[in-house]
Amino acid sequence: MKIRSIKVNAILSMIKQVCAIIFPLITIPYVSRILEADNYGKINFSSSIISYFILIAGLGISSYAIREGARIRDEKTTFTKFSNEIFSINILATVFSYVLLVVVVSISIKLQQYKLLLFIQSFAIILNTLGADWINSVYEDYLYLSFRYILIQIISLIALFLFVHTPNDYVIYAIIYVFSSSGGNLFNCFYIKKYTDLRFTFDINWKLHMKPIMILFFNAIASTIYVSSDTTILGYLRTENEVGIYGLAAKIYLSVKQILNAIILVSIPRLSSYLGNNQNGNYQLLSTKILDSLFTIVIPCSLGLFLLSDEIVMLVGGSSYSSGGVALQYLSCALIFAVIAGFYCCAVIIPFRLEKVCIFASSISALVNIILNFVLIPTMGFNGAALTTLLSEAIACIIYYFASKPIAHIRLTKRIFISTVVGSGGIMLICTILKTFIHTNYIYVMYCVVISGFQYFILQLLFENYIIKHIMFVIFNKIKAVVR
């Protein structure tokens, strides 16, 4: 079966993730203004609760299945047996997750206030399981994933503008939100038949699968805790209004994080395949390119988000969210640590089957996150939640870096480091100068992005950043091919 090149997959996934930023840029300002901070906070709080049950239903299956499935994807009989066993484990975990959700909501007075929203958003649990999206990732079918995502988002966008017009429409928005995030899995139920015929089976090799799955599951638990616990604890300790303000800043942060993580995610199957076939040279070359690419992009993105935080929050959410600028500054710093940590985790730790390192890093980060949330949120509110996220991401990044260092000798290219630092200095200088002359938010943001982005690009070419030069080379070749 034909597998597309890593460059094509990266471009396709980047297109998908660019859309993952463009659509929120359209929907978040609209929804945050229409629903207002209180109802927007309700959606974010209930969503944070459901994320834990999605986690339970998913176990560590996706990461495990992608890693192991990529090694046997060319052996159809073996892969079919493997996929049926993994799918069956997923089904059983989903049933358990639903039972646990019913029990938790029944005994929690706080959650009973959100039971309608929780019921609606819980459909994401079963959709994620039935979709078995990990099969598409195993076969690196990012063309389908990108097309499906864009189609679902367009449908959701139309539905949003047709049916959400007042603050009382937050329940309708919850339905649209579930469809936009998990509705694509409905197509998957039919599409994945081209790769394998999924069937439920009780004939499962539990001994083979459960240990690595549970290790990845405990890692996912810890990761989800330090990603979602801030919203959950904020919802319990403070007001829905504060959850709404923090939720807006967090969505901006996560939107940028997703597009940067696209570079990592499309590479996991290929990296695992290289290691499985003892192609260590190819592994080393690809992982170094990924790190260089991430550094080239994440530093200017984080800096720009930090410098423009107040203006971005105002543009996206309006005046009722204006106090969220400081929280976004903390989260923009967290972005650097989160992306680099994601690289070492997904490109080194998981392909080398060192899931215990993931558990350790995520557990320490989660513990710190929970403790600091209870300490800082009562006094600092949502700013304390954002600061806690920054510290947790930094701790995870440090642990992953030192754990990866003796295993895979991946070093940032010196020229990349220099060009990125110099270009980022130019961004800071331009944004500072423009702020003294421009006082209209959207004009200031537009000028900063265009002018500083242009100077950054030019400096990368002058410093011969091979990542940027390669992108330009590919673009020019495509243009020449079209012209001919």
Side-chain angles (χ1 to χ4, degrees):
M1 187 170 294
K2 183 180 178 181
I3 303 295
R4 293 183 179 86
S5 74
I6 195 72
K7 287 183 289 187
V8 172
N9 286 336
I11 291 170
L12 288 171
S13 190
M14 286 288 283
I15 290 172
K16 175 190 170 187
Q17 296 301 336
V18 166
C19 292
I21 286 184
I22 292 174
F23 285 114
L25 284 177
I26 299 171
T27 59
I28 292 175
Y30 180 81
V31 171
S32 59
R33 284 177 165 83
I34 294 295
L35 298 186
E36 300 177 352
D38 286 349
N39 287 333
Y40 194 57
K42 290 178 182 178
I43 296 292
N44 282 304
F45 178 69
S46 58
S47 180
S48 74
I49 297 298
I50 289 298
S51 69
Y52 298 111
F53 294 94
I54 290 176
L55 171 69
I56 293 170
L59 293 176
I61 285 172
S62 181
S63 296
Y64 172 73
I66 292 172
R67 185 190 71 191
E68 299 301 323
R71 297 170 186 258
I72 58 172
R73 63 190 178 191
D74 296 327
E75 304 167 26
K76 187 169 179 60
T77 303
T78 304
F79 181 77
T80 298
K81 184 177 186 303
F82 170 81
S83 58
N84 285 339
E85 292 182 18
I86 297 302
F87 178 69
S88 301
I89 294 171
N90 206 170
I91 288 287
L92 295 173
T94 299
V95 173
F96 174 75
S97 179
Y98 270 107
V99 171
L100 187 61
L101 175 61
V102 171
V103 172
V104 170
V105 173
S106 298
I107 62 178
S108 172
I109 297 175
K110 175 77 174 181
L111 293 184
Q112 286 174 16
Q113 302 172 32
Y114 299 88
K115 60 184 179 183
L116 177 58
L117 287 175
L118 291 170
F119 170 75
I120 292 169
Q121 293 181 327
S122 71
F123 277 93
I125 301 173
I126 186 64
L127 288 174
N128 288 343
T129 298
L130 294 178
D133 230 4
W134 48 269
I135 292 178
N136 296 308
S137 295
V138 165
Y139 286 97
E140 303 181 49
D141 195 348
Y142 296 105
L143 177 62
Y144 161 72
L145 290 173
S146 300
F147 176 78
R148 186 194 73 187
Y149 175 81
I150 293 170
L151 177 63
I152 291 295
Q153 294 307 307
I154 290 174
I155 295 172
S156 301
L157 192 62
I158 293 171
L160 181 67
F161 290 134
L162 285 177
F163 301 114
V164 179
H165 302 292
T166 71
N168 293 328
D169 292 332
Y170 69 93
V171 174
I172 298 175
Y173 171 66
I175 297 172
I176 296 172
Y177 180 78
V178 171
F179 178 76
S180 69
S181 61
S182 304
N185 288 296
L186 294 171
F187 295 100
N188 249 27
C189 295
F190 305 98
Y191 184 82
I192 57 177
K193 291 182 183 297
K194 67 180 288 187
Y195 297 119
T196 187
D197 186 17
L198 279 185
R199 297 179 183 277
F200 182 84
T201 178
F202 283 107
D203 183 19
I204 301 171
N205 189 339
W206 295 97
K207 185 177 180 180
L208 174 65
H209 300 307
M210 286 313 295
K211 182 178 179 180
I213 283 178
M214 293 309 294
I215 289 175
L216 288 168
F217 172 57
F218 285 119
N219 171 61
I221 288 176
S223 298
T224 300
I225 287 174
Y226 85 76
V227 168
S228 300
S229 66
D230 46 7
T231 301
T232 306
I233 296 172
L234 188 62
Y236 272 99
L237 298 181
R238 307 286 284 208
T239 64
E240 291 170 346
N241 182 272
E242 289 194 58
V243 175
I245 294 171
Y246 179 72
L248 181 69
K251 282 189 183 298
I252 296 170
Y253 156 73
L254 290 172
S255 294
V256 180
K257 180 180 174 181
Q258 283 173 355
I259 192 171
L260 296 174
N261 280 339
I263 301 173
I264 307 171
L265 294 175
V266 300
S267 307
I268 297 173
R270 189 65 54 87
L271 291 170
S272 294
S273 180
Y274 284 153
L275 290 176
N277 293 297
N278 295 316
Q279 299 178 23
N280 295 328
N282 287 335
Y283 168 83
Q284 196 74 23
L285 181 63
L286 177 57
S287 55
T288 299
K289 285 182 178 179
I290 295 169
L291 180 60
D292 287 344
S293 300
L294 287 173
F295 197 79
T296 299
I297 300 171
V298 70
I299 299 301
C301 284
S302 299
L303 181 60
L305 203 59
F306 182 90
L307 295 171
L308 303 175
S309 58
D310 289 332
E311 290 77 14
I312 290 174
V313 167
M314 285 288 289
L315 286 174
V316 174
S319 57
S320 61
Y321 296 85
S322 60
S323 56
V326 175
L328 185 56
Q329 286 183 329
Y330 285 132
L331 293 174
S332 66
C333 296
L335 184 64
I336 298 174
F337 295 110
V339 171
I340 300 301
F343 165 76
Y344 283 112
C345 176
C346 295
V348 181
I349 302 300
I350 291 178
F352 276 92
R353 298 175 172 174
L354 299 173
E355 294 86 359
K356 291 182 180 179
V357 175
C358 295
I359 290 183
F360 177 74
S362 298
S363 298
I364 295 298
S365 299
L367 182 62
V368 169
N369 188 280
I370 292 173
I371 293 172
L372 289 181
N373 271 325
F374 280 109
V375 172
L376 297 179
I377 286 177
T379 56
M380 295 178 64
F382 52 78
N383 288 331
L387 178 57
T388 296
T389 298
L390 167 59
L391 296 173
S392 299
E393 297 285 16
I395 289 171
C397 183
I398 292 169
I399 294 173
Y400 282 130
Y401 170 75
F402 283 105
S404 301
K405 196 174 180 180
I407 304 165
H409 305 289
I410 306 168
R411 292 183 177 85
L412 184 69
T413 305
K414 186 176 180 180
R415 186 179 292 273
I416 297 290
F417 176 81
I418 295 172
S419 65
T420 300
V421 171
V422 174
S424 298
I427 292 174
M428 184 178 297
L429 180 63
I430 289 170
C431 290
T432 303
I433 292 173
L434 289 175
K435 197 171 184 67
T436 61
F437 295 103
I438 303 174
H439 304 290
T440 305
N441 282 345
Y442 73 91
I443 295 178
Y444 172 61
V445 171
M446 182 179 66
Y447 272 67
C448 283
V449 171
V450 173
I451 297 175
S452 63
F454 179 74
Q455 73 81 31
Y456 184 81
F457 174 75
I458 295 300
L459 279 175
Q460 300 314 299
L461 292 179
L462 291 175
F463 276 88
E464 297 187 342
N465 183 320
Y466 77 93
I467 299 297
I468 301 299
K469 288 180 69 177
H470 180 71
I471 292 173
M472 292 301 298
F473 176 77
V474 172
I475 292 174
F476 282 136
N477 280 347
K478 294 294 182 183
I479 293 173
K480 285 181 181 179
V482 171
V483 171
R484 290 174 184 173

